[in-house]
């Protein structure tokens, strides 16, 4: 298949997963200290890391885990209780193991204090496991050449169960010089003979200098249930049935494997078959599917214009297949966000300890799937926002008590699909944002004019301004005002948006809205003047007609009444300053982003098509109205409308009109 | 013709080590990730020995041993299980289920080779 992987890479990857499993188990144990399944899970993870570590030369790891595991075994046996203190030390041990694996040879010293703390907290120190690693072959207590009489007989089912007497005899003969005689005295009559049973006995006269243990080793797997006598020729024998102690190679320390996914071959993990694929291959696949989709669109166009019925049929079939292929390929890159959530539990746990605040961390929507690259890039922003929530949002125990709140603050992390987007919200039940202080700071920094009327939501957006921080003190965790602007930029680079909502005294909610798919979407093609534009179909709610009379009546108050709801609309003709004559009957495409909607007034709706999103070049990166471009079947370019931006724009457009500012749309 | 060894373990690193060690010594290796996968492969491929772990998801080693032994394809095939500790109770149980031999973890490559050679020949 591919070139041989470095064996230690497989171990490292496996160890990473096992350490993750260990961490989750420890965090869960803190909430449920008596759950023996969790203890078992943690134990198995440790066991496997120790075993595999030893096999791949990570001796420090094996050694450390051995001691750690011994102590933990106390818990498994019910001799020690899980306490928050124990969990914290265990988590520190987990970090140490990760370090030992990442940088072998450099961190060994750091292990001792952890083990010490562990022992202290468990009081008993049961480090005498006794048997030492590095199994050696049976002591060569051998000396002179001795001659032995060896007689043995296997149990009747030995052959069926895989014992091969020839191999045993070969092994014996390899020890020295031997003569073998078979004994057939127990053969039953042929009518009752079972061809698969073992009836023969063997006598071997062996001259060897290897000693008795070497001979016993040959039969190490068979000691129970077989007849075996080993007697040196010159010594008076007392027939000893059963062999002496067999010395097994290897150490008693071992690992019980936990779950893991496979490498190059399809394998099972947690009941599902899964496969590891290098991310670049997925990207390649996506590109090819993208190109296929474009070509298929071209084919569909040609077929539509042609009279050839069989061509039309095939083109339709290919369109269906391409669509299916697109969906499947997009699906491959989707990963449940729950993988990220697990990381945060540790973060909150540590923050809670660091800042001395009790925090309850609640998550929901773990199954919500996002593109893998999006999830990876979300990690840091989310960490930042959660830090802020715990550090600045949640009040300390005293303040909370005064405010009549429960001592334990809650941070809630939720992910949910809404139409074309995924909304990830982080909310806390803390003190909320102080609009007045934000305003003050903003005015000081010259960001807003003192008399300007600014809605609270927009004020809150100022916290994303570089260098902006209303924190009275800088803690080690946050307050430097560096993070939030990076957060905003990261989210925007994912073509997403951030909303902030807050109620003083009650809490704050930060919501990240991200587009579901990055590369290929189903788009609705529309015409505005001479230009064609694509609107992500998943954002489209419905289409209505804007009759000429309605258009007139609405002048100045660009609202439509859709079943009782007032929906603002944007005339794209005006937005794009189209010169071409307008259609008599304009169409309105109602699109939504999150909770809000806007109607986009266009000349004509052309139909749906699969749209491969091509990014706009850096020159156009600041253009907010369009999120990208696509190549249509006939080779022309259509710009893709950024629904989120237009929806927000629609809202502010109305605000501006209300504030008696006539804005010329850009 | 080389002998074929089936290795069953849910740990990818152990499977890899076994595979490398044994193929380096001239054996052919088939890998399986759990007892169920192992059973399927053991009963549909001619094999000369099985090396199996005991603690695995989906189907554990003991169940694999029992079920494989109940199948005619297992006649004469030695089954070596990976012993987790010097756990005599476990060894006895595995033997009773039909295992032929064991190897104690962690094991070094040459220890593995010695055991495989012992039960299956070179």
């Amino acid at each position: 298949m591919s070139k041989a992987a470095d064996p230690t890479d497989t171990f490292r990857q496996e160890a990473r997963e096992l350490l993750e499993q260990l961490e989750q188990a420890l965090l869960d144990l803190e909430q449920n200290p008596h759950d023996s399944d969790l203890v078992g899970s943690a134990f198995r993870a440790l066991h496997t890391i120790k075993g595999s570590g030893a096999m791949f030369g990570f001796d420090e790891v094996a050694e450390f885990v051995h001691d750690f595991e011994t102590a933990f075994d106390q818990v498994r046996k019910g001799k020690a209780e899980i306490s928050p203190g124990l969990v914290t030390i265990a988590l520190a041990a987990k970090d140490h193991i990760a370090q030992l694996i990442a940088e072998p040879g450099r961190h060994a010293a750091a292990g001792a204090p952890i083990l010490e703390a562990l022992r202290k907290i468990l009081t008993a120190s049961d480090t005498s496991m006794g048997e030492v690693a590095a199994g050696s072959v049976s002591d060569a207590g051998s000396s002179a050449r001795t001659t032995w009489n060896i007689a043995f007989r296997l149990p009747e089912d030995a052959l069926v169960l895989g014992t091969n007497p020839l191999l045993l005899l070969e092994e014996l003969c390899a020890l020295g010089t031997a003569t073998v005689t078979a004994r057939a005295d127990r053969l039953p009559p042929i009518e009752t003979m079972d061809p698969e049973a073992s009836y023969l006995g063997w006598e071997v006269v062996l001259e060897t200098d290897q000693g008795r243990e070497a001979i016993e080793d040959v039969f190490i797997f068979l000691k129970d249930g077989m007849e075996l006598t080993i007697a040196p020729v010159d010594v008076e024998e007392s027939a000893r049935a059963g062999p002496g102690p067999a010395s097994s190679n290897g150490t008693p320390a071992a690992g019980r494997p936990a779950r893991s996914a496979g490498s190059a071959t399809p394998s099972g993990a947690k009941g599902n078959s899964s496969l590891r694929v290098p991310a670049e291959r997925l990207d390649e696949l996506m590109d090819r599917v993208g190109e296929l989709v474009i070509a298929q669109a071209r084919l569909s166009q040609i077929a539509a214009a042609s009279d050839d019925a069989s061509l039309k049929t095939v083109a339709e079939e290919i369109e269906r297949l391409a669509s299916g292929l697109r969906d499947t390929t997009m699906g491959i890159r989707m990963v449940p966000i729950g993988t990220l959530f697990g990381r945060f539990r540790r973060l909150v746990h540590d923050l809670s300890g660091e800042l001395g605040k009790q925090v309850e961390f609640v998550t929901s929507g773990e199954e919500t799937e996002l593109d893998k690259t999006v999830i990876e890039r979300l990690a840091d922003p989310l960490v930042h926002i959660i830090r802020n929530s715990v550090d600045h949002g949640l009040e300390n125990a005293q303040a909370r008590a005064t405010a009549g709140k429960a001592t334990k603050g809650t941070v809630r992390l939720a992910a949910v699909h809404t139409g074309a987007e995924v909304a990830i919200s982080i909310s806390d039940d803390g003190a909320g944002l102080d609009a007045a202080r934000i305003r003050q700071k903003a005015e000081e920094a010259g960001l807003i004019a003192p008399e300007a009327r600014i809605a609270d939501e927009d004020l809150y957006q100022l916290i994303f301004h570089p260098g902006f921080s209303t924190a009275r003190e800088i803690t080690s965790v946050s307050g430097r005002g560096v993070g939030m602007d990076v957060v905003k930029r990261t989210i925007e680079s994912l073509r997403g948006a951030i909303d902030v909502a807050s109620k003083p005294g009650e809490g704050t909610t930060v919501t990240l809205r991200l587009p579901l798919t990055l590369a290929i979407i189903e788009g609705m093609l529309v015409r505005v003047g001479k230009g064609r534009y694509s609107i992500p179909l998943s954002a489209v709610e419905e289409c209505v007609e804007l009759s000429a009379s309605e258009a007139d009546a609405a002048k100045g108050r660009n609202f439509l009444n859709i079943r009782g709801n007032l929906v603002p609309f944007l005339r794209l003709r005006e937005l794009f300053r189209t010169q071409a004559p307008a259609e008599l009957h304009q169409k309105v495409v109602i699109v939504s982003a999150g909770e809000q909607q806007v109607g986009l007034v266009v000349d004509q709706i052309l139909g749906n098509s699969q749209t491969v999103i091509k990014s706009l070049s850096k020159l156009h990166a600041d253009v907010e109205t369009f999120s990208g471009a696509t190549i249509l079947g006939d080779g022309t370019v259509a710009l893709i409308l950024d629904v989120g931006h237009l929806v927000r724009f629609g809202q502010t457009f109305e605000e501006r009109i209300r504030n008696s500012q006539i804005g010329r749309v850009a | 013709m080389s002998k074929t060894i089936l290795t069953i373990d849910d740990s990818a690193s152990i499977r890899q080590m076994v595979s490398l060690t044994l193929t380096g010594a001239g054996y052919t290796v088939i890998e399986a990730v759990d007892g169920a996968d192992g059973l399927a492969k053991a009963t549909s491929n001619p094999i000369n020995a099985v090396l199996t772990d005991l603690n695995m998801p989906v189907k554990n080693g003991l169940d694999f041993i029992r079920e494989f032994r109940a199948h005619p394809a297992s006649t004469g095939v030695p089954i070596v299980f990976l012993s987790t500790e010097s756990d005599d109770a476990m060894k006895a149980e595995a033997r009773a289920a039909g295992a032929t031999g064991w190897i104690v973890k962690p094991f070094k490559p040459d220890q593995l080779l010695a055991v495989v050679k012992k039960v299956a020949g070179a």
Side-chain angles (χ1 to χ4, degrees), chain A residues 182-193:
Chain A
R183 307 284 317 265
D185 47 318
R186 292 208 201 157
L187 279 180
I190 199 163
E191 308 83 59
T192 56
M193 199 186 280

Side-chain angles (χ1 to χ4, degrees), chain A residues 346-645:
Chain A
R346 176 72 194 272
L347 170 69
V348 173
H349 174 269
D350 291 345
L351 276 178
S352 160
E354 238 178 273
L355 299 168
K357 295 180 184 171
Q358 283 189 43
V359 185
E360 174 139 11
F361 186 57
V362 180
T363 59
S364 65
E366 285 90 340
E367 349 54 70
T368 313
E369 290 189 335
L370 280 176
D371 187 282
K372 186 178 191 304
T373 37
V374 172
I375 288 200
E376 279 160 20
R377 298 184 59 189
L378 276 182
D380 282 343
L382 283 174
V383 164
H384 212 90
I385 298 173
I386 293 176
R387 282 206 140 115
N388 269 2
S389 281
V390 179
D391 197 6
H392 298 301
L394 294 180
E395 316 94 322
N396 62 36
Q398 212 177 14
R400 286 184 74 85
T402 319
K405 293 184 184 176
T407 332
K408 223 177 186 188
T410 307
V411 172
R412 221 175 275 275
L413 186 54
V416 78
H417 276 305
T418 56
E421 296 182 329
V422 170
I424 302 169
S425 61
I426 306 101
S427 39
D428 63 68
D429 63 352
L433 293 173
D434 189 338
R437 276 194 47 231
I438 293 178
R439 208 199 160 94
Q440 181 190 26
K441 201 85 201 235
E443 283 177 12
E444 275 170 30
L447 292 171
I448 53 180
E451 304 87 45
R453 257 184 295 169
I454 303 198
D456 280 351
E457 298 108 50
D458 298 322
L459 260 186
Y460 298 147
Q461 287 285 326
L462 289 172
I463 65 178
F464 297 111
H465 206 89
F468 192 99
S469 172
T470 57
R472 291 216 168 80
E473 41 174 298
I474 298 177
T475 68
S476 63
V477 173
S478 45
R480 289 175 215 277
V482 171
M484 284 309 237
D485 66 316
V486 175
V487 167
K488 182 161 194 211
R489 263 188 282 134
T490 310
I491 302 300
E492 287 181 342
S493 74
L494 293 168
R495 293 188 298 114
I498 311 189
D499 295 328
V500 181
S502 179
K503 272 208 175 91
E506 285 183 29
T508 312
T509 302
V510 178
T511 308
L512 309 176
R513 284 184 291 111
L514 299 157
L516 253 189
T517 63
L518 293 184
I520 306 182
I521 56 169
E522 194 78 40
M524 173 183 275
L525 266 186
V526 299
R527 181 178 64 80
V528 178
K530 286 202 187 141
R532 280 178 292 173
Y533 304 88
S534 177
I535 306 174
L537 197 57
S538 46
V540 175
E541 299 284 335
E542 59 184 299
C543 303
V544 297
E545 235 190 44
L546 187 69
S547 66
S549 53
E550 227 183 301
D552 281 335
K555 258 210 171 63
R557 303 276 315 147
N558 292 358
F559 276 114
L560 284 178
N561 189 330
I562 309 276
R563 294 182 297 278
N565 287 335
L566 289 181
V567 179
F569 64 81
L570 291 172
R571 294 174 191 279
L572 292 183
R573 290 182 58 84
E574 288 178 11
L575 201 61
F576 302 154
R577 303 195 204 189
T578 313
Q579 302 294 333
E583 286 286 316
L584 192 57
H585 294 285
Q586 301 262 287
K587 317 286 181 299
V588 187
V589 181
I590 315 278
V591 296
S592 70
E595 303 289 318
Q596 297 167 324
Q597 295 182 339
V598 77
L600 302 173
V601 184
V602 303
D603 283 319
Q604 188 184 5
I605 295 176
L606 299 172
N608 301 343
S609 75
Q610 291 183 45
T611 306
V612 180
I613 302 180
K614 299 280 182 198
S615 303
L616 297 174
S617 75
K618 285 208 175 71
L619 286 175
H620 302 104
D622 286 338
V623 174
E624 296 179 312
T625 316
F626 305 112
S627 60
T630 182
I631 303 177
L632 298 177
D634 63 3
T636 59
V637 174
L639 292 172
I640 303 170
L641 300 180
D642 186 326
V643 170
H645 171 83

